[in-house]
Amino acid sequence: MKTGESTQLQRVIGYFHGTIFLFSIIIGAGIFIAPKGVLKYTSLNVGVSLIIWAACAIVSMIAALSYAELGTTFPISGAQFYFLKRSLGSIIAFFYLWISLFSTPAGLAARGLLLAGYILQPFFPGCFVPEMPKKCLALAILWCLGILNARGVKEVAWFQTITTLVKMAVLCFISVTGIVLLIRGRKENVARFENAFDAEVPDALQIAEAFLQGLYAYSGWGVLVQIAGELKNPSENINKCVVTALTLVAVIYLLVNISYIAVLTPKEIMSSDAVAVTWMNRVIPSMQWVISIGVSSSIFSSLNCTLFSSSRLLYVASQEHQLPFIFSTLNIHSCPVVAVILRLIFASIMIIPSDLILLINYVGFINWLELGLMMIGLLKLRYQEPNLHRPYRVRLPLVFGTMAMSFFLVLTPTIKSPTMSHIYAFLFIFSGLLFYLPFGHFNLNCTYFNKITCFLQLLLNVSPADDINDYISEEGR
């Protein structure tokens, strides 16, 4: 850093790149390879499945607009952690951090292996890709993205733009092809929609499971709150980007699913592990490579966006003294490079024994529980601090609707069909107390920590960031 320069994250992401970030993290591999989840839990009822996809878009929009108040009130990166600590206390914020420390690297590892498998599959026709080259390539991909992140937010933003445009082109191709097939009016294409509601109607538990499947495809809409400290004018851009991105994503998802159903029967979709590949085999077999490019670019951009945004959580947790000081330092490109490295180390460890990646299944349902807690914190903070400056105030019906939906999605499967994964998830969460009590509550310190911090600062050329309270009161408001 130059002498006298402000040491903080730089606000360089505007409306366009903010929308791109949302596209890149929401549209992942799911829409290409796993839309059968919604069909499965709607008893192969085509009409209900399409309604679920549309309803998931509405629920995601409501939740995202409710969540946006966090980023506009506290315009810092990692705002959700700072908000939880301020509204519900340190221990709830630490549990949120504790889950993220392991679930996020598990997701990075899983998607890294999936991407490596797609890239290497053409070199191993007719057989499975060997584990060793797949794991080595996944490690190389993750660490290359780490180097890109270390170069700063501008480079990350342009990388996201390129990869997002590629996968959007592939999705538009699938959508337009499906529309053309329906307009041409071929009997086998239209018949599935004429009798869309003839199949069995799912019950409440199945609907909850179908919602979880659909909402997974929309997940990531909170990324702008995670990177609010790098957004220009977050009080306006967060809401504008959310409305723009989720509206377009909803339209694309509906058109893509209609295209799938126009070409494939529900049973064919259920029997396919890669629906988009099966769809392309039926429509234009010679262009399978188009789907491979679409899936690869989707996973690439989603991986990069997750790594970028999740490192900001460690950054703000360090500023709030719930992680070592070194994680709140920045390099010359204003990147919390130590936080990025920690994410990559954890993800690399989880790649080696790939069965550990099942951890993501144990903690996945907690995301909606966390959202419900954040809505409770939002209401509590409005009562405790009514005069707090809030550039954007979400309407209370949206807050209560988000709370109701989150608890419905969490409690319905847990009560009606409890599994060992729910028990493992709660045991994992409460095991965080073993670390919170000595280091978070009693603030135990060790002289070796100071020596390691000095060594890493010199090695990585990083400097302490400005105080978080000074940053909140800046132009982001």
Side-chain angles (χ1 to χ4, degrees):
M1 297 287 179
K2 295 179 181 178
T3 304
E5 261 193 357
S6 176
T7 308
Q8 60 186 29
L9 299 175
Q10 302 299 310
R11 297 191 182 277
V12 296
I13 301 175
Y15 168 73
F16 173 75
H17 282 121
T19 305
I20 290 294
F21 266 96
L22 276 171
F23 273 129
S24 63
I25 198 167
I26 293 174
I27 303 178
I31 191 61
F32 290 101
I33 63 175
K36 64 180 184 181
V38 176
L39 265 177
K40 174 183 176 181
Y41 290 108
T42 53
S43 303
L44 303 186
N45 192 312
V46 171
V48 174
S49 70
L50 292 176
I51 290 173
I52 292 291
W53 278 103
C56 286
I58 295 171
V59 169
S60 298
M61 181 77 77
I62 292 172
L65 290 175
S66 301
Y67 199 66
E69 185 171 324
L70 280 61
T72 55
T73 304
F74 306 108
I76 58 172
S77 291
Q80 70 276 38
F81 177 87
Y82 182 85
F83 170 82
L84 279 175
K85 186 171 183 288
R86 185 158 172 172
S87 61
L88 297 179
S90 296
I91 189 168
I92 299 297
F94 183 84
F95 280 145
Y96 178 82
L97 172 66
W98 176 251
I99 294 169
S100 173
L101 280 174
F102 297 94
S103 63
T104 300
L108 290 171
R111 280 177 284 173
L113 287 169
L114 180 62
L115 176 57
Y118 264 92
I119 293 174
L120 292 175
Q121 188 61 61
F123 299 98
F124 298 90
C127 62
F128 291 107
V129 178
E131 287 297 311
M132 185 56 69
K134 184 164 71 171
K135 291 179 179 180
C136 290
L137 180 58
L139 288 170
I141 289 169
L142 287 177
W143 285 94
C144 285
L145 290 178
I147 293 172
L148 174 65
N149 272 262
R151 295 293 302 169
V153 64
K154 289 184 179 179
E155 282 74 8
V156 171
W158 281 110
F159 177 84
Q160 295 300 102
T161 301
I162 295 170
T163 54
T164 299
L165 291 176
V166 171
K167 65 183 176 185
M168 290 294 288
V170 174
L171 286 172
C172 288
F173 170 76
I174 294 174
S175 302
V176 171
T177 303
I179 292 171
V180 170
L181 290 173
L182 289 175
I183 291 175
R184 287 172 59 185
R186 293 176 61 183
K187 187 175 180 181
E188 61 270 24
N189 298 130
V190 179
R192 300 181 193 111
F193 297 95
E194 292 177 345
N195 305 310
F197 294 93
D198 286 355
E200 179 186 350
V201 177
D203 59 25
L205 175 60
Q206 290 175 311
I207 289 175
E209 295 285 0
F211 262 105
L212 286 172
Q213 295 288 325
L215 289 170
Y216 175 77
Y218 285 96
S219 62
W221 41 255
V223 68
L224 296 186
V225 173
Q226 292 179 297
I227 62 172
E230 287 146 293
L231 284 176
K232 298 176 182 176
N233 194 11
S235 60
E236 292 184 8
N237 280 333
I238 289 179
N239 291 340
K240 288 168 61 178
C241 292
V242 163
V243 172
T244 302
L246 279 174
T247 301
L248 291 176
V249 168
V251 172
I252 290 170
Y253 276 10
L254 280 172
L255 291 176
V256 168
N257 276 280
I258 289 171
S259 182
Y260 288 156
I261 296 169
V263 175
L264 305 171
T265 66
K267 290 184 178 179
E268 286 175 331
I269 293 175
M270 287 300 301
S271 63
S272 173
D273 290 327
V275 178
V277 174
T278 306
W279 181 92
M280 187 61 81
N281 282 337
R282 185 68 58 83
V283 178
I284 311 176
S286 61
M287 293 185 64
Q288 285 190 25
W289 56 272
V290 172
I291 299 300
S292 297
I293 291 175
V295 174
S296 298
S297 61
S298 294
I299 303 171
F300 240 124
S301 60
S302 179
L303 266 175
N304 191 50
C305 194
T306 301
L307 180 61
F308 176 81
S309 60
S310 64
S311 63
R312 273 56 183 173
L313 174 62
L314 306 185
Y315 168 81
V316 75
S318 174
Q319 287 191 311
E320 290 295 295
H321 312 294
Q322 292 205 359
L323 279 179
F325 161 78
I326 189 64
F327 293 107
S328 61
T329 56
L330 303 173
N331 68 1
I332 58 174
H333 301 292
S334 297
C335 169
V337 67
V338 184
V340 172
I341 290 172
L342 182 68
R343 290 297 196 193
L344 291 174
I345 290 173
F346 276 35
S348 300
I349 292 171
M350 291 180 180
I351 279 178
I352 297 169
S354 54
D355 58 329
L356 285 181
I357 296 173
L358 291 174
L359 174 67
I360 194 67
N361 295 328
Y362 297 150
V363 298
F365 79 102
I366 296 297
N367 290 337
W368 277 89
L369 177 60
E370 288 172 344
L371 180 61
L373 290 175
M374 287 185 183
M375 294 301 101
I376 293 173
L378 188 150
L379 294 174
K380 182 182 176 184
L381 204 62
R382 282 196 183 181
Y383 175 76
Q384 287 182 334
E385 302 184 45
N387 297 322
L388 183 66
H389 178 61
R390 294 177 174 87
Y392 162 72
R393 292 172 64 95
V394 63
R395 295 183 181 277
L396 290 180
L398 298 184
V399 177
F400 288 118
T402 302
M403 288 173 58
M405 193 66 191
S406 64
F407 291 128
F408 168 74
L409 293 174
V410 170
L411 295 177
T412 301
T414 305
I415 293 172
K416 287 202 168 188
S417 182
T419 63
M420 287 302 296
S421 63
H422 297 127
I423 298 174
Y424 293 151
F426 283 112
L427 288 176
F428 167 72
I429 292 170
F430 289 111
S431 67
L433 282 172
L434 299 175
F435 293 86
Y436 172 75
L437 291 176
F439 299 108
H441 185 71
F442 296 108
N443 293 319
L444 294 183
N445 205 347
C446 178
T447 55
Y448 289 107
F449 287 170
N450 296 329
K451 293 181 180 179
I452 293 172
T453 297
C454 291
F455 172 76
L456 289 175
Q457 279 191 264
L458 293 171
L459 176 67
L460 300 172
N461 190 24
V462 292
S463 304
D466 291 343
D467 183 77
I468 191 170
N469 292 312
D470 295 337
Y471 194 50
I472 290 175
S473 57
E474 283 196 344
E475 63 171 298
R477 295 205 126 180

